[in-house]
């Protein structure tokens, strides 16, 4: 009688209140679950929602059957979660955590039911669930989805010794023309990297704002560090103190996309510094292997020069010692890169990547404002004399007959694929390797020329001396997904299985495909297979390639096909939302054609791998890559609707695509909480053995500390693996350095295992590639990173941060 009175009194209303809460929790699951069933998706949510609602009603009625019904739903949920996801940690979290949390009050309220007995058992089960949830929270702070396999061999791979004069310098964007980002210095190594400390911090005063982003990798030559900021302001710094030696501001202006990924260095008469690891080859013309003649008067002013491009399309040379314009170059130190390009609307053409200095030439490509209109400025690549600024050759892929300036009154072929990323070159072979984009706009291609079709998303080898094409290899045919080649090729000699080596070019892509080509002739070293791809779902005005190339001889990174079961969320609700949206959209793999209904692009147009490029530990034969796993959706919009919609975006949002029948609406595939709609990780670091061509290790990249649902910082160092920008570097000390995660850290990883050895907190996030060098004055090795803010973070800064080991007394 006393128990009944209690249930009718103060305890009874708790049962009713909890029952109402259960109905509120279950109703959206029923509503969304029915939609999902109608789309051909899982029945779980509707059935589980009905069970939760029915359980809530029984609680309101103060019937203990409500507890037993919820227990049944909970057990069925566990079985369903294991069936869909196995024992993978992150896929289980949104499936099981919320039901377990609800089960705790359901159990604790059990003694309030009329005629209830056995009060201890519910409390024991509730305590067990609390313990399991606590263990889950603790376990969430450890990396998951980690792969670790042994190296095939720890023997040193054959490499060409670095040039003694520059072994401790960082003279090119990728440290050498080969673009491997490998530094043969080991003062900082796996045994002592955890002792790194901030040596100095410099602030440029050019804080990124709006579309500006800091993506700079500094250079170090002889005794000076050279860096540029988003608006192309160059600083020369003392490497041991960060003090400014000189500053140059070109007063560059652009309405959008302000960034500078780096400057270049030219020293007249100097031998090529650490060109790629290839001996003289019979396929290389003898004329291009000849040594560079010394320059008369090289001891005069501007004997050593900093070479830069600007966001308003100028090529500039500065005296490396003083920062003064080199008056013997161009017109007072400046060359106008708009010459021969035809009409250029404000902000539609300029350079974002560092110019390529090779021999006595400076080669530049260009960036165009994607997706606004057809017929944008040409993708022509030009080489200028590094001594005078005179145009030496031009490669107009739409009109090879133009070898310098176009005829009077004409321009280079408009609307051709551009080279906006960084080339690599092999001086011994006399070849420079260009990663090409696609002809804008990205998501419709019926209007493209034969040249655009032939060269889109390719690697093209040109003769350094003449600019004439030697070979090309295409990574995507008729690209209508923005899968342009974004990264610098990496040149490295790989084992041939017969005790020798083959001169290879390794090209990473947004698709997560890694192509390994013979850099002499472009033929695949690792097998490439043409596979059939979807042929329906596009628009009738466009066409589709029947096949696409797959690099089956190398690992595929982060490109596993989507399924409904791989949809994710922070809660069951946004996971259900993502499942519904997934089933509404078309998806037949990475080459699902854009059409009038929404389709998924995965890997997305941010990658896969992007402009940060790869690194190769040349001593161990390990390729290190970081990837982004962020799908997007795309939908073509008829011209009339596009014109009334307004606005134009290069990437996320509506792109006008003027000159075509359709605009393109696209964005990230996210839940209402701003959480990606697929299960983690959203970015990884991967080490690949170039001898066996197998993954040695893979670990999630970064934590949730400085981001989270709705853009709020969680402050939790949960290594879920976040999207990455920028690239890695490696050293002979066995360390990988990387800073392009969404949290604000520079990290050091063990190159052989991927284990995190150290991390240093940055003032803001970074999306640049670090670099390292040894100062000739102090003898100390430094690791330097430019930190201007992670892409999705509102926190911005203008920092250059240098780390070193503690000084010895």
């Amino acid at each position: 009688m006393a128990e009944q009175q209690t249930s009718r009194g103060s305890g009874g209303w708790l049962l009713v209140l909890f029952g109402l809460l259960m109905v509120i929790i279950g109703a959206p699951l029923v509503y969304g679950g029915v939609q999902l069933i109608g789309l051909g998706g899982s029945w779980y949510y509707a059935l589980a929602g009905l069970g939760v609602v029915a359980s809530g009603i029984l609680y309101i009625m103060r019937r203990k059957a409500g507890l037993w019904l919820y227990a049944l739903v909970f057990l069925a949920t566990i079985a369903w979660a294991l069936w869909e996801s196995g024992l993978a940690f992150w896929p289980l979290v949104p499936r099981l955590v919320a039901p377990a949390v609800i089960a705790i009050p359901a159990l604790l309220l059990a003694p309030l039911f009329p005629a209830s007995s056995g009060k201890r058992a519910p409390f024991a089960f509730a305590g067990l669930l609390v313990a399991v949830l606590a263990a889950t929270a603790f376990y969430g702070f450890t990396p998951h989805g980690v792969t670790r396999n042994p190296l095939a061999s720890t023997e040193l791979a054959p490499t060409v010794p670095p040039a003694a004069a520059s072994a401790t310098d960082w003279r090119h964007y990728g440290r050498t023309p080969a673009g491997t980002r490998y530094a043969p210095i080991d003062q900082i190594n796996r045994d002592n990297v955890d002792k790194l400390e901030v040596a100095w911090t410099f602030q440029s005063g050019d804080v990124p704002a709006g579309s500006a982003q800091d993506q700079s990798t500094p250079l170090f030559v002889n005794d000076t560090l050279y860096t540029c900021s988003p608006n192309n302001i160059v600083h020369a710094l003392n490497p041991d103190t960060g003090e400014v030696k000189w500053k140059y501001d070109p007063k560059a202006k652009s309405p959008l996309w302000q960034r500078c990924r780096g400057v270049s260095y030219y020293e007249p008469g100097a031998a090529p510094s650490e060109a790629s690891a290839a001996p003289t080859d019979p396929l290389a013309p003898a004329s291009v292997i000849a040594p560079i003649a010394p320059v008369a008067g090289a001891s005069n002013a501007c004997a050593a020069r900093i070479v830069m491009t600007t966001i308003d399309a100028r090529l500039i040379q500065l005296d490396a010692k003083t920062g003064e314009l080199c008056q013997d170059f161009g017109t007072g130190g400046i060359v106008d890169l708009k010459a021969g390009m035809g009409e250029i609307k404000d902000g539609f053409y300029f350079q974002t990547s560092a110019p390529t200095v090779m021999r006595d030439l400076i080669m530049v490509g260009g960036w165009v404002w994607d997706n606004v209109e057809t017929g944008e400025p040409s993708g022509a690549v030009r080489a200028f004399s590094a001594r005078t600024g005179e145009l030496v050759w031009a490669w107009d892929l739409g009109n090879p007959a133009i070898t310098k300036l176009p005829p009077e009154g004409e321009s280079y072929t408009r609307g051709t694929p551009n080279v906006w990323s960084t080339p690599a070159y092999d001086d011994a072979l006399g070849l420079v390797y260009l990663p090409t984009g696609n002809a804008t706009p990205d998501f419709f291609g019926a209007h493209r020329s034969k040249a655009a079709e032939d060269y889109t998303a390719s690697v093209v080898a040109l003769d350094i001396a003449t600019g004439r094409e030697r070979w090309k290899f295409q990574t995507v045919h008729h690209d209508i997904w923005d899968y342009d080649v974004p990264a610098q090729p990496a040149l490295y000699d790989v084992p041939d299985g017969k005790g020798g080596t083959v001169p290879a070019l390794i090209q990473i892509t947004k698709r997560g495909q890694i192509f390994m080509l013979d850099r002499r002739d472009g033929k695949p070293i690792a097998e490439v297979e043409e596979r059939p791809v979807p042929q329906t779902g596009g628009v009738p005005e466009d066409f589709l390639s029947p096949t696409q190339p797959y690099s089956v001889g190398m690992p595929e990174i982060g490109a596993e096909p989507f399924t409904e079961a791989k949809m994710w969320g922070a809660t069951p609700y946004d996971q259900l939302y993502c499942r519904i949206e997934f089933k509404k959209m078309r998806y037949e793999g990475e080459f699902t054609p854009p059409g009038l209904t929404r389709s998924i692009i995965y890997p997305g147009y941010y990658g896969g791998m992007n402009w940060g490029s790869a690194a190769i530990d040349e001593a161990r034969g390990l390729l290190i890559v970081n990837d982004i796993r962020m799908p997007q959706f795309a939908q073509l919009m008829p011209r009339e609707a596009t014109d009334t919609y307004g606005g134009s975006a290069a990437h996320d949002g509506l792109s006008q695509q003027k000159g075509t029948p359709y605009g393109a609406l696209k964005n990230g595939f996210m839940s209402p909480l701003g959480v990606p709609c697929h299960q983690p990780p959203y970015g990884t670091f991967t080490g690949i053995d170039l001898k066996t061509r197998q993954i040695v290790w893979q670990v999630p990249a970064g934590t949730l500390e400085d981001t989270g649902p709705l853009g709020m910082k969680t402050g939790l160092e949960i290594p879920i693996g976040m999207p990455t920008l920028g690239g890695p570097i490696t050293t002979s000390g066995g360390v990988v350095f990387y800073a392009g995660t969404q949290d604000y850290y520079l990290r050091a990883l063990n190159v052989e295992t991927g284990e995190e050895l150290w991390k240093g907190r940055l003032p803001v996030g970074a999306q640049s590639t670090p670099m390292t060098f040894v100062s000739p004055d102090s003898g100390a090795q430094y690791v330097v990173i430019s930190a201007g803010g992670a892409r999705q973070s509102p926190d911005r800064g203008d920092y250059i941060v240098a780390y070193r080991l503690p000084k010895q007394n």
Side-chain angles (χ1 to χ4, degrees):
M1 179 64 71
E3 286 180 348
Q4 291 177 351
Q5 290 175 347
T6 300
S7 68
R8 293 191 183 97
S10 59
W13 70 268
L14 289 175
L15 292 173
V16 173
L17 185 61
F18 181 70
L20 288 171
L21 181 61
M22 293 276 277
V23 172
I24 294 171
I25 289 171
L29 297 177
V30 175
Y31 177 76
V34 169
Q35 290 186 64
L36 187 58
I37 292 171
L39 294 167
S42 172
W43 284 59
Y44 163 77
Y45 291 91
L47 295 176
L50 286 171
V52 172
V53 169
S55 176
I57 292 171
L58 290 169
Y59 266 83
I60 292 170
M61 297 170 65
R62 291 174 290 179
R63 294 178 58 181
K64 198 169 186 178
L67 174 61
W68 296 117
L69 179 56
Y70 186 74
L72 180 62
V73 171
F74 186 40
L75 292 173
T77 296
I78 293 173
W80 165 77
L82 293 173
W83 173 72
E84 271 206 335
S85 303
L87 296 175
F89 179 79
W90 286 117
L92 290 176
V93 167
R95 290 170 168 86
L96 296 180
V97 168
V101 170
I102 295 170
I104 293 171
L107 287 164
L108 294 177
L109 292 174
L112 301 180
F113 285 111
S116 182
S117 60
K119 295 181 179 180
R120 293 183 179 180
F123 283 102
F125 280 117
L128 177 61
L129 285 175
V130 170
V132 170
L133 288 171
T136 299
F138 177 80
Y139 197 42
F141 285 86
T142 62
H144 297 279
V146 173
T147 297
R148 286 203 171 96
N149 298 312
L151 271 168
S153 173
T154 56
E155 297 179 2
L156 298 183
T159 59
V160 171
S166 60
T168 60
D169 285 1
W170 193 284
R171 293 190 170 215
H172 301 261
Y173 177 68
R175 202 191 81 84
T176 72
T180 61
R181 292 162 182 77
Y182 172 73
I185 48 181
D186 62 359
Q187 184 182 123
I188 299 170
N189 54 57
R190 287 178 290 189
D191 295 329
N192 60 22
V193 68
D194 61 333
K195 297 179 176 60
L196 282 182
E197 60 185 26
V198 175
W200 51 261
T201 299
F202 167 75
Q203 291 183 260
S204 70
D206 187 8
V207 179
S211 63
Q213 295 181 18
D214 184 348
Q215 300 174 343
S216 171
T217 296
L219 296 188
F220 179 76
V221 184
N222 298 328
D223 62 355
T224 304
L225 190 74
Y226 302 96
T227 185
C228 62
S229 60
N231 287 292
N232 302 121
I233 302 171
V234 181
H235 287 87
L237 306 178
N238 181 306
D240 291 303
T241 65
E243 293 176 339
V244 176
K245 293 185 174 183
W246 55 258
K247 170 186 174 181
Y248 176 77
D249 184 354
K251 307 295 183 183
K253 301 293 182 184
S254 174
L256 78 164
W257 216 252
Q258 303 87 353
R259 62 207 61 206
C260 177
R261 295 197 178 110
V263 297
S264 298
Y265 177 80
Y266 171 64
E267 186 175 337
S273 61
E274 300 178 68
S276 62
T280 300
D281 189 273
L283 294 179
S287 62
V288 302
I289 306 173
I292 300 169
V295 178
S299 59
N300 296 333
C302 285
R305 313 178 185 203
I306 294 301
V307 184
M308 60 180 291
T309 53
T310 65
I311 53 176
D312 50 11
R314 288 177 286 160
L315 175 63
I316 298 175
Q317 271 197 4
L318 306 173
D319 188 308
K321 291 294 183 183
T322 67
E324 298 293 328
L325 287 166
C326 296
Q327 297 298 322
D328 59 349
F329 180 81
T331 303
I334 300 173
V335 171
D336 182 4
L337 294 177
K338 297 186 291 294
M341 301 301 292
E343 180 190 13
I344 298 178
K345 298 177 183 179
D346 192 21
F348 272 66
Y349 174 82
F350 53 84
Q351 289 66 38
T352 55
S353 299
T356 300
V357 175
M358 48 189 187
R359 301 182 179 172
D360 282 348
L361 298 174
I362 302 169
M363 188 181 70
V364 297
W367 174 91
V368 296
W369 190 355
D370 299 29
N371 300 315
V372 177
E373 60 188 33
T374 60
E376 290 189 347
S378 175
V381 173
R382 292 167 288 172
F384 299 86
S385 167
R387 305 177 185 180
T388 66
E390 178 187 359
L391 180 64
V392 176
W393 56 253
W395 179 62
D396 181 351
L397 55 87
N399 186 0
I402 297 177
T403 59
K404 287 192 175 183
L405 280 172
E408 186 71 26
E410 298 182 22
S411 71
Y412 298 112
T413 307
R414 296 182 71 84
T416 52
N418 54 351
V419 178
W420 58 265
S421 189
T422 308
Y425 71 88
D426 184 327
D427 192 74
L429 291 179
L431 297 177
V432 58
Y433 306 98
L434 314 179
T436 69
N438 50 22
T440 187
D442 292 321
F443 303 99
F444 183 87
H447 63 288
R448 295 175 186 166
S449 65
K450 183 181 184 304
E453 289 296 323
D454 288 345
Y455 289 96
T456 188
S458 299
V459 181
V460 183
L462 301 183
D463 186 299
I464 292 175
T466 65
R468 297 309 91 202
E469 180 185 326
R470 292 290 175 259
W471 59 258
K472 69 175 182 295
F473 177 88
Q474 192 165 60
T475 69
V476 180
H477 310 317
H478 190 60
D479 178 16
I480 51 174
W481 300 270
D482 195 8
Y483 284 151
D484 49 351
V485 180
Q488 183 180 28
L491 312 183
Y492 180 71
D493 292 353
V494 299
D496 62 1
K498 303 174 184 178
T501 60
V502 179
L505 178 149
I506 298 163
Q507 183 64 65
I508 61 175
T509 67
K510 290 182 180 180
R511 295 174 52 205
Q513 299 287 316
I514 302 172
F515 293 93
M516 182 187 288
L517 311 175
D518 188 320
R519 65 177 181 265
R520 296 169 295 185
D521 55 20
K523 295 179 179 178
I525 297 172
E527 183 183 0
V528 175
E529 181 180 284
E530 288 284 338
R531 293 180 177 176
V533 293
Q535 295 295 296
T536 59
V539 290
E541 295 89 345
D542 208 345
F543 64 94
L544 300 166
S545 172
T547 65
Q548 294 288 354
Y550 282 81
S551 181
V552 297
M554 288 290 286
E556 181 181 72
I557 306 297
E560 297 80 9
F562 267 3
T563 63
E564 181 200 331
K566 290 185 178 180
M567 296 302 101
W568 201 75
T571 70
Y573 298 117
D574 54 328
Q575 185 180 48
L576 174 57
Y577 169 89
C578 290
R579 283 180 178 249
I580 292 170
E581 293 303 306
F582 174 78
K583 296 298 288 187
K584 286 180 180 178
M585 290 189 273
R586 292 179 296 110
Y587 177 71
E588 300 177 70
E590 64 178 305
F591 290 108
T592 303
L596 294 176
T597 58
R598 289 190 177 185
S599 61
I600 292 176
I601 303 178
Y602 183 77
Y605 43 74
Y606 293 129
M609 286 79 103
N610 212 304
W611 54 263
S613 307
I616 296 177
D617 184 318
E618 295 181 9
R620 296 167 179 82
L622 273 173
L623 173 70
I624 312 299
V625 299
N626 58 281
D627 72 296
I628 303 168
R629 304 185 185 188
M630 292 290 289
Q632 284 89 29
F633 67 78
Q635 180 178 358
L636 297 182
M637 184 179 293
R639 174 56 47 205
E640 183 178 354
T642 300
D643 291 343
T644 58
Y645 194 97
S648 188
H651 296 299
D652 296 343
L654 177 71
S655 295
Q656 289 287 327
Q657 299 196 148
K658 294 178 180 178
T660 75
Y662 301 98
L665 183 65
K666 58 255 181 302
N667 218 321
F669 184 23
M670 310 285 280
S671 82
L673 295 180
V675 175
C677 266
H678 66 294
Q679 64 194 34
Y682 309 126
T684 67
F685 303 119
T686 304
I688 299 168
D689 189 335
L690 291 175
K691 180 177 182 180
T692 64
R693 303 172 195 171
Q694 299 295 316
I695 291 176
V696 176
W697 54 263
Q698 187 172 89
V699 296
T703 73
L704 285 173
E705 181 174 355
D706 296 296
T707 188
L710 300 176
M712 297 183 297
K713 297 182 182 181
T714 67
L716 302 174
E717 296 186 39
I718 299 174
I720 198 168
M722 301 301 290
T724 61
L725 275 177
I729 67 170
T730 65
T731 74
S732 59
V735 181
V736 176
F737 288 102
Y738 188 82
T741 55
Q742 294 295 301
D743 53 3
Y744 303 170
Y745 290 99
L746 172 67
R747 284 181 167 82
L749 309 181
N750 185 325
V751 73
E752 293 185 0
T753 66
E755 176 190 3
E756 185 177 292
L757 303 173
W758 167 86
K759 63 181 180 182
R761 184 71 174 171
L762 298 170
V764 296
Q767 51 181 296
S768 57
T769 302
M771 51 83 72
T772 186
F773 62 89
V774 173
S775 167
D777 292 333
S778 66
Q781 180 182 353
Y782 291 86
V783 180
V784 176
I785 184 68
S786 183
R791 173 166 285 187
Q792 302 302 325
S793 169
D795 297 337
R796 290 288 182 262
D798 58 345
Y799 302 94
I800 304 290
V801 185
Y803 294 86
R804 60 166 287 172
L805 296 172
K807 295 180 180 179
Q808 301 297 316
N809 295 327

